[in-house]
Amino acid sequence: MKDVAARAGVGLKTVSRVVNGEPGVTPDTERRVQEAITALGFRRNDSARILRKGRTASIGLVLEDLADPFYAPLSRAVEEVARAHGALLINGSSAEDGERERELALALCARRVDGLVVVPAGGDHRYLEPEIAAGVATVFVDRPAAGIEADTVLSDNFGGARAGVAHLIARGHRRIGFIGDLPRIHTAAERLRGYRAAMAGAGLPVDESWVALGPTGPDRVRADTERMLADRGPGPVTALFTANNRVTVTVVRVLAGRQRRVALVGFDDFELADLLTPPVTVVAQEPALLGRKAAELLFRRLEGSGDAPQRLELPTRLVPRGSGEVPPQP
C-alpha cells in the first residue's frame, strides 16, 4: 500500500478508502490510485483484513448433490444474496452421507466462514453447537436440523404430496402407487405422509405393495415401478405418485415402453417435463426461493438479529399438464 500511495501521490488512508470502496475520494484521485494498483499488481491481503475485521466475508453451503438439477437454482440464489452482501460462497456436496456432511461443515468452519447454509444429511446436528456459540450463523434449508434449534426454510412437502395424490383420486384412480426416496430423509417421510393422508381422506385403503422407498438409483426405481404395474396381488396400480425428480425421470422411461397408459404425478418439476408425451403433471417447488429465503435469514443473523429461531414453510403448487389427468385404464 505504501508503494501504491507513493506512485499515486496520495496518503495510505486514501488508498485504503479506494480499496475498500469507502466514500470521500474524488474521481480523479480514485483513478490515479486504481492506475497505480494496476501498474504495481497490488492485491489486497485478505488474511490481514480478517484479523482486523474479524469477518471473512464468506459463507459455506452444504448441499446433498451439486449435480442434482434441484439444487442448481437454490445454490445460485444463495450466491446472489451473498454477492449482494459482498460475500463469497463456498459450497460442497454431502452425497447424502451424514458423516461427510459433518466433515464438510466443520472444514468450512475451520476456514472461518461467517455462516453456513446446510441441506441436512445427518441425523444429529449437535456437532454444530460449539460453532454456532462461537458466532457462526447457521440456517438449514429443504430439511430441518436434528437435535438443535436453528433457523429453517422448507417447502410444504406434506401438503404438496397430499394435493398431488388427491388430484389423481379426483380423476377416478383408486390403486395409486408411491415411489419415494430413503425413509430417513425428512422430505421423503413428509411426502409419504401426504400420500397416506390423501388416500385416507378419500376412504381408500393402501396396500403396502403400492409403497416403495429406497435409493433413487434407476435400477431400484425401475424394479419397483415394474412390480407395481404387474398384474398380481391386489392388481396393478393405475396411477403413480413419484416423490422426487430423479424418481420421476426413471418412471417416465419405464412408462414410455408400455402400451397401457398409467397416470403420473411427480413431486418436483424438471427440465423438458412439459415437452414429453404426455407432458408430466408435477407438484412444483421453488428451489430458488428456498435458497434466497435461507440466505436472507442468514445475513439477518450476521447483521445481529437476536430473534428466536424461525421455521419458514413455503407453499408448493400443482401444475396439471396431462400425465396426471390420464383416466384409469381397464
Side-chain angles (χ1 to χ4, degrees):
M1 286 181 67
K2 289 180 180 178
D3 292 339
V4 170
R7 187 179 182 101
V10 299
L12 280 173
K13 181 60 180 175
T14 300
V15 176
S16 176
R17 283 180 177 144
V18 172
V19 169
N20 290 294
E22 297 173 2
V25 181
T26 66
D28 180 63
T29 300
E30 181 177 2
R31 178 186 56 77
R32 285 189 287 118
V33 170
Q34 292 290 3
E35 287 176 350
I37 286 172
T38 301
L40 295 172
F42 173 85
R43 295 292 182 272
R44 184 174 64 191
N45 186 329
D46 277 337
S47 296
R49 181 171 176 267
I50 290 167
L51 288 173
R52 181 167 56 87
K53 291 193 171 185
R55 294 274 291 271
T56 62
S58 64
I59 64 170
L61 173 61
V62 180
L63 299 168
E64 176 204 345
D65 184 357
L66 285 167
D68 187 330
F70 174 79
Y71 290 115
L74 188 155
S75 176
R76 177 63 182 270
V78 173
E79 184 177 30
E80 288 299 317
V81 174
R83 185 171 181 270
H85 285 82
L88 177 70
L89 177 68
I90 308 169
N91 56 27
S93 299
S94 69
E96 206 59 77
D97 182 324
E99 183 56 29
R100 183 166 168 177
E101 172 216 295
R102 179 179 180 278
E103 290 174 357
L104 180 56
L106 292 179
L108 290 166
C109 291
R111 284 159 178 75
R112 299 191 61 184
V113 294
D114 298 323
L116 289 173
V117 176
V118 181
V119 177
D124 187 349
H125 293 94
R126 287 175 294 179
Y127 72 85
L128 280 171
E129 285 180 333
E131 309 301 331
I132 294 171
V136 179
T138 304
V139 177
F140 292 83
V141 64
D142 191 42
R143 310 166 187 173
I148 63 172
E149 292 292 322
D151 292 318
T152 306
V153 183
L154 309 170
S155 290
D156 182 9
N157 294 285
F158 169 79
R162 182 176 57 184
V165 176
H167 184 74
L168 291 167
I169 293 169
R171 269 70 192 165
H173 295 278
R174 299 296 178 263
R175 300 195 304 273
I176 302 171
F178 177 96
I179 305 178
D181 209 331
L182 295 166
R184 63 177 173 79
I185 297 173
H186 170 81
T187 50
E190 284 295 286
R191 292 168 196 177
L192 176 59
R193 193 167 69 88
Y195 162 81
R196 292 190 184 279
M199 296 291 278
L204 298 175
V206 174
D207 190 287
E208 290 308 309
S209 67
W210 299 343
V211 176
L213 299 172
T216 57
D219 291 344
R220 193 282 297 186
V221 173
R222 177 178 292 275
D224 281 327
T225 305
E226 291 175 343
R227 175 179 56 76
M228 290 186 194
L229 298 176
D231 191 8
R232 60 175 180 262
V237 299
T238 64
L240 289 165
F241 183 83
T242 50
N244 70 34
N245 55 0
R246 286 168 289 185
V247 173
T248 304
V249 168
T250 298
V251 170
V252 166
R253 290 192 172 110
V254 174
L255 297 182
R258 292 179 170 263
Q259 290 187 341
R260 185 170 70 89
R261 298 184 71 195
V262 176
L264 172 64
V265 174
F267 203 109
D268 292 334
D269 208 351
F270 60 97
E271 193 172 8
L272 304 182
D274 56 330
L275 298 180
L276 297 172
T277 305
V280 180
T281 296
V282 298
V283 176
Q285 302 186 75
E286 293 193 61
L289 185 59
L290 281 170
R292 180 164 61 82
K293 290 291 186 182
E296 289 173 348
L297 198 49
L298 183 76
F299 279 98
R300 281 204 295 275
R301 293 296 180 194
L302 290 173
E303 289 162 4
S305 171
D307 297 339
Q310 295 185 39
R311 182 185 174 106
L312 304 180
E313 190 169 87
L314 307 181
T316 58
R317 58 191 175 90
L318 182 70
V319 184
R321 292 192 179 120
S323 70
E325 294 66 57
V326 173
Q329 301 294 301

